[in-house]
Amino acid sequence: MKSSTNYKRGAMTAKIVTTMILALILSVGNELIAQPNGETLFKTNCASCHFASNKKSTGPGLAGLTKRRSAEWILKWVANSNELIASGDADAVAIYAEYNKMPMPPFAMPEEDVKAIMTYLEQTEAKLAEKAKADSLAKIEAAKNAPPVKKTER
């Protein structure tokens, strides 16, 4: 009888532990699913006027944005660039002047979405820098392995 009771307790404990693990997995999974995708948000909201590189378009290229501006500034700019320009912010006024006094339209975007875009831009910049480095190294290696150029006499 005692072993039967121990077996039932063990089975019950296993069910509880399994249920707790499943609940944990589901809650973490939901958080991961709920996190905004910076690349998708960028392509949907920003790519019509901006590149993720230094290339200019209707608006400036956004590579290095988070190194040039604080997250607070970026959030204000995205929410309403006109307000930031009107406040006399030197960077906002300069960007406004550089782009023919065309303000960026205001976006009612949740802060976590803007931050996801900033993270995407940082990751893209890192990938571009790594690619440029690899390309440079490949050119150097190719130059080392190239046959010597013969000089022709005239």
Side-chain angles (χ1 to χ4, degrees), residues 33 100 154:
I33 292 169
N100 300 317
R154 294 185 185 205

Side-chain angles (χ1 to χ4, degrees), residues 8-132:
K8 287 179 182 177
R9 276 191 212 146
M12 186 62 105
T13 302
K15 286 181 182 177
I16 292 170
V17 169
T18 302
T19 303
M20 290 173 60
I21 290 172
L22 282 172
L24 178 64
I25 290 170
L26 289 173
S27 69
V28 170
N30 284 339
E31 284 182 30
L32 291 175
I33 292 169
Q35 290 182 355
N37 181 311
E39 180 178 10
T40 301
L41 289 165
F42 176 83
K43 288 178 178 177
T44 303
N45 297 288
C46 312
S48 61
C49 297
H50 299 280
F51 289 104
S53 65
N54 287 322
K55 187 177 176 182
K56 292 181 179 183
S57 182
T58 304
L62 298 180
L65 174 65
T66 58
K67 292 177 183 164
R68 295 188 309 269
R69 309 277 184 266
S70 70
E72 180 184 350
W73 189 95
I74 295 167
L75 289 166
K76 286 179 184 177
W77 178 264
V78 171
N80 194 334
S81 67
N82 281 323
E83 279 185 11
L84 203 53
I85 294 162
S87 76
D89 180 273
D91 291 334
V93 171
I95 293 167
Y96 178 67
E98 182 178 349
Y99 288 88
N100 300 317
K101 298 189 177 187
M102 290 288 296
M104 184 173 126
F107 282 89
M109 189 180 297
E111 185 175 313
E112 61 268 10
D113 287 1
V114 177
K115 288 182 177 180
I117 292 169
M118 288 189 277
T119 300
Y120 165 72
L121 292 171
E122 290 169 353
Q123 292 168 345
T124 300
E125 183 180 2
K127 288 177 189 174
L128 291 172
E130 192 61 37
K131 183 181 179 328

Side-chain angles (χ1 to χ4, degrees), residues 135-145:
D135 289 348
S136 293
L137 292 174
K139 286 179 185 176
I140 291 168
E141 195 60 35
K144 285 182 187 176
N145 295 329

